[in-house]
Amino acid sequence: MSANWFIILSAILFTIGAVGVLVRRNAIVVFMCVEMMLNAANLAFVTFAHTNGNFDGQVIAFFVMVVAAAEVVIGLSIIVTIFRTRRSASIDDASLLKL
Amino acid sequence: MHSLLIGLPLLGAAVLLLGGKRTNAWGHYFATAMSIGSFLVGVASFSEMFGLPAEERSIEWTLTEWISVGSFQVPIAFQLDQLSIAFVLLITGVGSLIHVYSIGYMEHDANRRKFFSYLNLFVSAMIVLVLANNYLLLYVGWEGVGLASYLLIGFWQHKPSAATAAKKAFVVNRVGDIGLSLAVMLMFAFFGTVTFAGVNEAADNASEQTATWIGLALLLAACGKSAQFPLQSWLLDAMEGPTPVSALIHAATMVTAGVYLIARSNEIYNIAPTAQLAVVIIGSITYLMGAVIGTAKDDIKKGLAGSTMSQIGLMILAVGLGPIGYVFAIFHLLTHGFFKAGMFLGAGSVMHGMHDDVNMRHYGALRTAMKITYATFGLGFLAIIGIPPFAGFWSKDEIIKVAFSYSPLVGVLTLVGAGVTAFYMTRMMAMTFFGTARWDDDVHPHESPKTMTIPMIILAFGSAFGGMLLLFVADIESWLEPVVGFEHAHHAPDNAILIPVTLAVVAAGAALGWIQYATRDVPRVAPADVSFLTTAARADLYGDAVNEAVFMRPGQYLTRSLVYVDNKVVDGAVNGTAGFVGLVASQLRRLQTGYARSYALMMVLGALVILATAVLVRMS
C-alpha cells in the first residue's frame, strides 16, 4: 500500500481537526480536535519513518503521545475548573484577555 | 598698605550690606570715612611716589594666587604707577566729595544705607580696575563697576523708567564686555600672557594684524563702558539714577574707564594704525554727537550727560592720536573729572531747590536764589568751554593742537566741537541761572545745605586751578611719560594762532547761546516747530530708534520665529511620532479580541503563509 494514502489520511484528519478548532465553541470538542491534529501529525511521523526505514519518526510519535497525555490532564482540568466557575464550556465566553 | 586703597571701601560696602538695619544710623558716615581713608592712603602713596625718581615710581605687589593652570598664571596682583595713581586720586578724591555731598542729598531717602554701600562698592571696584596689573583682574574691576552702575542707576527701581534704564545700561555694557573678553582671549592666544608688562613686551614682536584685532576688541570694550558711538545710548538714560551717582559714575570716573583702557594698552595701539584710526573716528563721531544732543535737551541732567558723552569722545579721539595724545587725554580726563562732577553736583543742588524738577525751561534767574551753586556751576562752565586760565582750557587746547598736527580735518572737528560745547553750556547756564524766573508759584528755590555746597566749592576750585596745578606743578607730561609715552607733536599750529582762533570759536558759540537763551524769553513748553536737527537731537539722534530697528526688532523676530520652529517643527516631530505610534497601536489592539479561536485562526493563517513561502521557495 502506497505511503501516499497514509499521508492523505493524515492531512484529512489534520484539516478536520484544524477546522474543528476554528469553528466549534465547546471547549471539550475543541480539545478533541486538537488531539485529532496531534494524532494526524503522529500518523505522518510514523508513515515517514516507515518509508525512510528508520525509527526516528516512531520515537517522536511516542514523545508526542506522552506530551499529549500530560497536556490532556492539564487541559481537561482547566476546562473543568472553568466550567465549575462559569457554568459554561464555551471558549468564547472565556474572552477576558482582550484589551 | 596699598591694598587698603581697595580694602577700605570694600570693608565699608561689606559692613553696610551685611550689617543691615543696625548700621542705618551711622552707615553713611562710616562709608564716607572709608572713602576718605582710601583717599588719604592714595595721597600718602602719591607723595611717596612723588619723591622717587621716575623709573622707581611703578610698584607691583601680589595679594594672592588666583588662577594657576600649567604655565598660565594669573595672580591677584596690583600695579601702582603714575597712571594708576592719577586715577586713584581722582576716584577717591571726587568719590569722597560725592560721599559727603550724598549725606545731604540722600538725607531723606529710606534706602540711604544701601546707597552708600553701593557707592563704596563702586569705589573699590573702580580702584581694582585701575590698579590691576593684568587684563583679567582689570576685567573683574570692569564688571564690578558695571554692577555698581547698574545698581545705582536703578536705585529708585520703583520708577519703571529707572529700572528700564538700569537694565539698558547693563545690556549695552555687556555688548562692550564681549570686546574686552575677546581682547583677553586674543592676548592669551597670541602672547600667552595677560599682564600689562607681558603684553607690552610681546607687543614689540607682534604682527600688526594681531595688534589691530586686539586694538579693535579693546575699542569695543571702551565704547561700551565709555558710552561711545555706537553703544552710546545707555548713558542718557542712566541719568535716572540719583544725581551724585551721575556725577561720580557717569561723569567723572567709570565712563572714563575706556580712555584708561586704551591709554593702558598704548603699546598695542602704537603698532596698529588701523585700530588707532578707528579710535579717532569713534571719538570724533561721539564728540560731535554728544555735543549736538546737548544742545537740544531741556533736562539739565541729560544735557550734562550729552556733554559727558561728548567730552569723553574728545578724550577717546585724543588717545587715538598715539603718543602725542595719551598724556593730554588723561589730562583732560582729570580736569573733566573736576568740572563735570562739579556741574553735576550743581545740577543736583538746583534740583534739590526746585522740588526735583529737571526741566531747565522751568528754571531761570536762579543766580540770586542759589549763589553758591551759581558760582560753582559757573566755574565749571568756564572750565568746560575752555576759558583761560580755567582747567578745561589747558587740556582741551592741547588736544585741539595735537589733533591739528594729526590731521587738519580732525583739528577742525575738535574746533567745531569746542564751539558747539560753548553754545550748549551757555544755553544751560543762561536757562538755569539767567533770564526771567519761570518756576512754578509753589516752588521756593533755596540754597542747599553745607554738606552739599562744600564738595561743590572744592570741585569748583579744582575746575578753576586743577588745569594749572596738573600742568605746571605736577608736570603731567613728564609724570605720565614713563607709562604711556609722550612725543611732542610735529607740525602743530603755533599757540599764538591757535589760542585766539579757539577762543574766537568758543566766544562765537557762547554768544549765540547767550543771545538765544538769555536775552530772549524762553518758553516754558518746548516749541514743537523746530528744525529737523533739533528734533533729532531731542530724540538722542535716533540712537534708540536705530538700536530698536537694527537689533531689537530683528532679534525679536528671530526669537519669535525660533519659538515658532520649536513649537511647530521640533515639538511637532516629537508629538507627531508619539501620536502616530498611539494611533497605530489603538488600531492594532483591536486584534486582541480575547477569543481563543481567533488567535488560533491567526496561527493557522501564519502557518499557512510560512508553508506557502517554503513551498514557493522550494519550487523556484
Side-chain angles (χ1 to χ4, degrees), chain A residues 21-25 91-92 94-95 97-99, chain B residues 589 592-597 599-602 604:
Chain A
V21 168
L22 293 181
V23 301
R24 296 302 297 263
R25 285 199 183 84
I91 59 167
D92 281 2
S95 63
L97 268 178
K98 73 175 167 202
L99 283 167
Chain B
R589 71 167 209 182
Q592 303 288 332
T593 53
Y595 296 116
R597 293 190 303 142
Y599 299 155
L601 181 64
M602 288 295 165
V604 171

PDB file of all heavy atoms in Angstrom, chain A residues 21-25 91-92 94-95 97-99, chain B residues 589 592-597 599-602 604:
ATOM      1  N   VAL A  21     -11.192  23.121  15.481  1.00  0.00           N
ATOM      2  CA  VAL A  21     -10.706  24.088  16.475  1.00  0.00           C
ATOM      3  C   VAL A  21     -11.251  25.485  16.170  1.00  0.00           C
ATOM      4  O   VAL A  21     -11.671  26.217  17.047  1.00  0.00           O
ATOM      5  CB  VAL A  21      -9.161  24.100  16.501  1.00  0.00           C
ATOM      6  CG1 VAL A  21      -8.647  25.287  17.309  1.00  0.00           C
ATOM      7  CG2 VAL A  21      -8.652  22.812  17.106  1.00  0.00           C
ATOM      8  N   LEU A  22     -11.284  25.764  14.861  1.00  0.00           N
ATOM      9  CA  LEU A  22     -11.678  27.121  14.487  1.00  0.00           C
ATOM     10  C   LEU A  22     -13.171  27.347  14.607  1.00  0.00           C
ATOM     11  O   LEU A  22     -13.602  28.446  14.922  1.00  0.00           O
ATOM     12  CB  LEU A  22     -11.217  27.431  13.057  1.00  0.00           C
ATOM     13  CG  LEU A  22      -9.705  27.509  12.868  1.00  0.00           C
ATOM     14  CD1 LEU A  22      -9.379  27.857  11.417  1.00  0.00           C
ATOM     15  CD2 LEU A  22      -9.079  28.539  13.784  1.00  0.00           C
ATOM     16  N   VAL A  23     -13.979  26.341  14.303  1.00  0.00           N
ATOM     17  CA  VAL A  23     -15.411  26.618  14.202  1.00  0.00           C
ATOM     18  C   VAL A  23     -16.216  26.190  15.424  1.00  0.00           C
ATOM     19  O   VAL A  23     -17.285  26.728  15.661  1.00  0.00           O
ATOM     20  CB  VAL A  23     -16.037  25.978  12.946  1.00  0.00           C
ATOM     21  CG1 VAL A  23     -15.345  26.501  11.698  1.00  0.00           C
ATOM     22  CG2 VAL A  23     -15.958  24.465  13.038  1.00  0.00           C
ATOM     23  N   ARG A  24     -15.721  25.285  16.216  1.00  0.00           N
ATOM     24  CA  ARG A  24     -16.536  24.807  17.336  1.00  0.00           C
ATOM     25  C   ARG A  24     -16.323  25.679  18.563  1.00  0.00           C
ATOM     26  O   ARG A  24     -15.255  26.233  18.777  1.00  0.00           O
ATOM     27  CB  ARG A  24     -16.175  23.349  17.673  1.00  0.00           C
ATOM     28  CG  ARG A  24     -16.484  22.387  16.544  1.00  0.00           C
ATOM     29  CD  ARG A  24     -17.958  22.426  16.149  1.00  0.00           C
ATOM     30  NE  ARG A  24     -18.816  21.995  17.231  1.00  0.00           N
ATOM     31  CZ  ARG A  24     -19.307  20.750  17.345  1.00  0.00           C
ATOM     32  NH1 ARG A  24     -19.004  19.841  16.414  1.00  0.00           N
ATOM     33  NH2 ARG A  24     -20.083  20.392  18.339  1.00  0.00           N
ATOM     34  N   ARG A  25     -17.430  25.797  19.383  1.00  0.00           N
ATOM     35  CA  ARG A  25     -17.328  26.636  20.564  1.00  0.00           C
ATOM     36  C   ARG A  25     -17.082  25.823  21.825  1.00  0.00           C
ATOM     37  O   ARG A  25     -16.480  26.296  22.758  1.00  0.00           O
ATOM     38  CB  ARG A  25     -18.610  27.439  20.754  1.00  0.00           C
ATOM     39  CG  ARG A  25     -18.759  28.588  19.802  1.00  0.00           C
ATOM     40  CD  ARG A  25     -19.783  29.564  20.353  1.00  0.00           C
ATOM     41  NE  ARG A  25     -19.987  30.657  19.404  1.00  0.00           N
ATOM     42  CZ  ARG A  25     -20.823  30.565  18.379  1.00  0.00           C
ATOM     43  NH1 ARG A  25     -21.533  29.449  18.204  1.00  0.00           N
ATOM     44  NH2 ARG A  25     -20.953  31.555  17.537  1.00  0.00           N
ATOM     45  N   ILE A  91     -15.713  28.268  24.735  1.00  0.00           N
ATOM     46  CA  ILE A  91     -14.445  29.003  24.843  1.00  0.00           C
ATOM     47  C   ILE A  91     -14.622  30.480  24.489  1.00  0.00           C
ATOM     48  O   ILE A  91     -13.805  31.308  24.828  1.00  0.00           O
ATOM     49  CB  ILE A  91     -13.340  28.383  23.980  1.00  0.00           C
ATOM     50  CG1 ILE A  91     -13.736  28.356  22.506  1.00  0.00           C
ATOM     51  CG2 ILE A  91     -12.928  27.028  24.491  1.00  0.00           C
ATOM     52  CD1 ILE A  91     -12.569  28.046  21.619  1.00  0.00           C
ATOM     53  N   ASP A  92     -15.719  30.825  23.799  1.00  0.00           N
ATOM     54  CA  ASP A  92     -15.923  32.243  23.501  1.00  0.00           C
ATOM     55  C   ASP A  92     -16.293  33.028  24.752  1.00  0.00           C
ATOM     56  O   ASP A  92     -16.105  34.246  24.823  1.00  0.00           O
ATOM     57  CB  ASP A  92     -17.012  32.420  22.447  1.00  0.00           C
ATOM     58  CG  ASP A  92     -16.450  32.132  21.063  1.00  0.00           C
ATOM     59  OD1 ASP A  92     -15.248  31.766  21.010  1.00  0.00           O
ATOM     60  OD2 ASP A  92     -17.176  32.264  20.073  1.00  0.00           O
ATOM     61  N   ALA A  94     -14.874  32.614  27.594  1.00  0.00           N
ATOM     62  CA  ALA A  94     -13.628  32.908  28.310  1.00  0.00           C
ATOM     63  C   ALA A  94     -12.761  33.849  27.468  1.00  0.00           C
ATOM     64  O   ALA A  94     -11.738  33.469  26.910  1.00  0.00           O
ATOM     65  CB  ALA A  94     -12.883  31.618  28.612  1.00  0.00           C
ATOM     66  N   SER A  95     -13.257  35.092  27.336  1.00  0.00           N
ATOM     67  CA  SER A  95     -12.520  36.046  26.480  1.00  0.00           C
ATOM     68  C   SER A  95     -12.093  37.258  27.278  1.00  0.00           C
ATOM     69  O   SER A  95     -12.092  38.372  26.806  1.00  0.00           O
ATOM     70  CB  SER A  95     -13.402  36.483  25.308  1.00  0.00           C
ATOM     71  OG  SER A  95     -14.522  37.151  25.821  1.00  0.00           O
ATOM     72  N   LEU A  97      -9.196  38.108  28.168  1.00  0.00           N
ATOM     73  CA  LEU A  97      -7.841  38.589  27.861  1.00  0.00           C
ATOM     74  C   LEU A  97      -7.821  39.704  26.830  1.00  0.00           C
ATOM     75  O   LEU A  97      -6.764  40.175  26.455  1.00  0.00           O
ATOM     76  CB  LEU A  97      -6.986  37.426  27.364  1.00  0.00           C
ATOM     77  CG  LEU A  97      -6.214  36.702  28.460  1.00  0.00           C
ATOM     78  CD1 LEU A  97      -5.451  35.533  27.857  1.00  0.00           C
ATOM     79  CD2 LEU A  97      -5.252  37.642  29.153  1.00  0.00           C
ATOM     80  N   LYS A  98      -9.020  40.123  26.354  1.00  0.00           N
ATOM     81  CA  LYS A  98      -8.983  41.185  25.340  1.00  0.00           C
ATOM     82  C   LYS A  98      -8.722  42.546  25.992  1.00  0.00           C
ATOM     83  O   LYS A  98      -8.954  42.728  27.187  1.00  0.00           O
ATOM     84  CB  LYS A  98     -10.289  41.221  24.553  1.00  0.00           C
ATOM     85  CG  LYS A  98     -11.460  41.772  25.338  1.00  0.00           C
ATOM     86  CD  LYS A  98     -12.654  41.864  24.435  1.00  0.00           C
ATOM     87  CE  LYS A  98     -13.924  42.092  25.251  1.00  0.00           C
ATOM     88  NZ  LYS A  98     -15.105  41.681  24.532  1.00  0.00           N
ATOM     89  N   LEU A  99      -8.232  43.447  25.208  1.00  0.00           N
ATOM     90  CA  LEU A  99      -7.938  44.778  25.744  1.00  0.00           C
ATOM     91  C   LEU A  99      -9.186  45.645  25.746  1.00  0.00           C
ATOM     92  O   LEU A  99      -9.980  45.561  24.838  1.00  0.00           O
ATOM     93  CB  LEU A  99      -6.859  45.445  24.887  1.00  0.00           C
ATOM     94  CG  LEU A  99      -5.464  44.913  25.183  1.00  0.00           C
ATOM     95  CD1 LEU A  99      -4.505  45.356  24.099  1.00  0.00           C
ATOM     96  CD2 LEU A  99      -4.993  45.424  26.534  1.00  0.00           C
TER      97      LEU A  99
ATOM     98  N   ARG B 589      -4.599  47.131  18.508  1.00  0.00           N
ATOM     99  CA  ARG B 589      -5.062  46.409  19.699  1.00  0.00           C
ATOM    100  C   ARG B 589      -6.413  45.741  19.450  1.00  0.00           C
ATOM    101  O   ARG B 589      -6.803  44.855  20.181  1.00  0.00           O
ATOM    102  CB  ARG B 589      -5.148  47.338  20.892  1.00  0.00           C
ATOM    103  CG  ARG B 589      -6.275  48.335  20.787  1.00  0.00           C
ATOM    104  CD  ARG B 589      -6.502  48.993  22.108  1.00  0.00           C
ATOM    105  NE  ARG B 589      -7.898  49.364  22.188  1.00  0.00           N
ATOM    106  CZ  ARG B 589      -8.430  50.003  23.205  1.00  0.00           C
ATOM    107  NH1 ARG B 589      -7.674  50.329  24.209  1.00  0.00           N
ATOM    108  NH2 ARG B 589      -9.710  50.291  23.213  1.00  0.00           N
ATOM    109  N   GLN B 592      -6.503  42.064  19.431  1.00  0.00           N
ATOM    110  CA  GLN B 592      -6.521  41.311  20.682  1.00  0.00           C
ATOM    111  C   GLN B 592      -7.978  41.170  21.145  1.00  0.00           C
ATOM    112  O   GLN B 592      -8.415  41.892  22.021  1.00  0.00           O
ATOM    113  CB  GLN B 592      -5.686  42.015  21.749  1.00  0.00           C
ATOM    114  CG  GLN B 592      -4.251  42.266  21.348  1.00  0.00           C
ATOM    115  CD  GLN B 592      -3.439  40.995  21.332  1.00  0.00           C
ATOM    116  OE1 GLN B 592      -3.731  40.043  22.065  1.00  0.00           O
ATOM    117  NE2 GLN B 592      -2.434  40.947  20.482  1.00  0.00           N
ATOM    118  N   THR B 593      -8.694  40.203  20.511  1.00  0.00           N
ATOM    119  CA  THR B 593     -10.130  40.104  20.834  1.00  0.00           C
ATOM    120  C   THR B 593     -10.393  39.347  22.112  1.00  0.00           C
ATOM    121  O   THR B 593     -11.447  39.481  22.708  1.00  0.00           O
ATOM    122  CB  THR B 593     -10.874  39.375  19.703  1.00  0.00           C
ATOM    123  OG1 THR B 593     -10.191  38.154  19.479  1.00  0.00           O
ATOM    124  CG2 THR B 593     -10.882  40.196  18.447  1.00  0.00           C
ATOM    125  N   GLY B 594      -9.395  38.531  22.511  1.00  0.00           N
ATOM    126  CA  GLY B 594      -9.636  37.670  23.680  1.00  0.00           C
ATOM    127  C   GLY B 594     -10.261  36.339  23.313  1.00  0.00           C
ATOM    128  O   GLY B 594     -10.352  35.451  24.152  1.00  0.00           O
ATOM    129  N   TYR B 595     -10.706  36.179  22.071  1.00  0.00           N
ATOM    130  CA  TYR B 595     -11.299  34.905  21.632  1.00  0.00           C
ATOM    131  C   TYR B 595     -10.193  33.948  21.229  1.00  0.00           C
ATOM    132  O   TYR B 595      -9.448  34.218  20.284  1.00  0.00           O
ATOM    133  CB  TYR B 595     -12.260  35.116  20.471  1.00  0.00           C
ATOM    134  CG  TYR B 595     -13.461  35.947  20.844  1.00  0.00           C
ATOM    135  CD1 TYR B 595     -13.680  37.179  20.270  1.00  0.00           C
ATOM    136  CD2 TYR B 595     -14.371  35.461  21.800  1.00  0.00           C
ATOM    137  CE1 TYR B 595     -14.772  37.937  20.634  1.00  0.00           C
ATOM    138  CE2 TYR B 595     -15.457  36.214  22.168  1.00  0.00           C
ATOM    139  CZ  TYR B 595     -15.661  37.461  21.588  1.00  0.00           C
ATOM    140  OH  TYR B 595     -16.725  38.201  21.960  1.00  0.00           O
ATOM    141  N   ALA B 596     -10.074  32.861  21.914  1.00  0.00           N
ATOM    142  CA  ALA B 596      -9.015  31.904  21.625  1.00  0.00           C
ATOM    143  C   ALA B 596      -9.087  31.435  20.178  1.00  0.00           C
ATOM    144  O   ALA B 596      -8.069  31.198  19.524  1.00  0.00           O
ATOM    145  CB  ALA B 596      -9.113  30.714  22.573  1.00  0.00           C
ATOM    146  N   ARG B 597     -10.309  31.365  19.671  1.00  0.00           N
ATOM    147  CA  ARG B 597     -10.465  30.842  18.312  1.00  0.00           C
ATOM    148  C   ARG B 597      -9.882  31.790  17.283  1.00  0.00           C
ATOM    149  O   ARG B 597      -9.369  31.373  16.245  1.00  0.00           O
ATOM    150  CB  ARG B 597     -11.944  30.565  18.023  1.00  0.00           C
ATOM    151  CG  ARG B 597     -12.448  29.398  18.897  1.00  0.00           C
ATOM    152  CD  ARG B 597     -13.792  28.950  18.498  1.00  0.00           C
ATOM    153  NE  ARG B 597     -14.755  30.042  18.534  1.00  0.00           N
ATOM    154  CZ  ARG B 597     -15.720  30.198  17.636  1.00  0.00           C
ATOM    155  NH1 ARG B 597     -15.822  29.357  16.648  1.00  0.00           N
ATOM    156  NH2 ARG B 597     -16.576  31.178  17.748  1.00  0.00           N
ATOM    157  N   TYR B 599      -7.359  33.726  17.807  1.00  0.00           N
ATOM    158  CA  TYR B 599      -5.904  33.554  17.870  1.00  0.00           C
ATOM    159  C   TYR B 599      -5.493  32.306  17.103  1.00  0.00           C
ATOM    160  O   TYR B 599      -4.507  32.288  16.374  1.00  0.00           O
ATOM    161  CB  TYR B 599      -5.441  33.426  19.319  1.00  0.00           C
ATOM    162  CG  TYR B 599      -5.743  34.631  20.180  1.00  0.00           C
ATOM    163  CD1 TYR B 599      -5.871  34.519  21.548  1.00  0.00           C
ATOM    164  CD2 TYR B 599      -5.889  35.884  19.590  1.00  0.00           C
ATOM    165  CE1 TYR B 599      -6.136  35.600  22.333  1.00  0.00           C
ATOM    166  CE2 TYR B 599      -6.164  36.989  20.362  1.00  0.00           C
ATOM    167  CZ  TYR B 599      -6.299  36.848  21.739  1.00  0.00           C
ATOM    168  OH  TYR B 599      -6.581  37.928  22.497  1.00  0.00           O
ATOM    169  N   ALA B 600      -6.297  31.286  17.269  1.00  0.00           N
ATOM    170  CA  ALA B 600      -5.995  30.035  16.564  1.00  0.00           C
ATOM    171  C   ALA B 600      -6.038  30.259  15.057  1.00  0.00           C
ATOM    172  O   ALA B 600      -5.171  29.783  14.317  1.00  0.00           O
ATOM    173  CB  ALA B 600      -7.000  28.961  16.967  1.00  0.00           C
ATOM    174  N   LEU B 601      -7.014  31.049  14.613  1.00  0.00           N
ATOM    175  CA  LEU B 601      -7.109  31.340  13.187  1.00  0.00           C
ATOM    176  C   LEU B 601      -5.846  32.045  12.706  1.00  0.00           C
ATOM    177  O   LEU B 601      -5.290  31.734  11.657  1.00  0.00           O
ATOM    178  CB  LEU B 601      -8.348  32.204  12.923  1.00  0.00           C
ATOM    179  CG  LEU B 601      -8.578  32.571  11.466  1.00  0.00           C
ATOM    180  CD1 LEU B 601      -8.848  31.317  10.638  1.00  0.00           C
ATOM    181  CD2 LEU B 601      -9.737  33.542  11.329  1.00  0.00           C
ATOM    182  N   MET B 602      -5.380  32.986  13.523  1.00  0.00           N
ATOM    183  CA  MET B 602      -4.148  33.694  13.180  1.00  0.00           C
ATOM    184  C   MET B 602      -2.998  32.707  13.013  1.00  0.00           C
ATOM    185  O   MET B 602      -2.211  32.800  12.073  1.00  0.00           O
ATOM    186  CB  MET B 602      -3.764  34.670  14.303  1.00  0.00           C
ATOM    187  CG  MET B 602      -4.643  35.881  14.400  1.00  0.00           C
ATOM    188  SD  MET B 602      -4.486  36.912  12.949  1.00  0.00           S
ATOM    189  CE  MET B 602      -5.924  37.927  13.198  1.00  0.00           C
ATOM    190  N   VAL B 604      -3.135  29.568  12.342  1.00  0.00           N
ATOM    191  CA  VAL B 604      -3.306  28.760  11.143  1.00  0.00           C
ATOM    192  C   VAL B 604      -2.902  29.542   9.909  1.00  0.00           C
ATOM    193  O   VAL B 604      -2.147  29.044   9.055  1.00  0.00           O
ATOM    194  CB  VAL B 604      -4.776  28.292  11.029  1.00  0.00           C
ATOM    195  CG1 VAL B 604      -5.013  27.628   9.672  1.00  0.00           C
ATOM    196  CG2 VAL B 604      -5.099  27.332  12.145  1.00  0.00           C
TER     197      VAL B 604
END
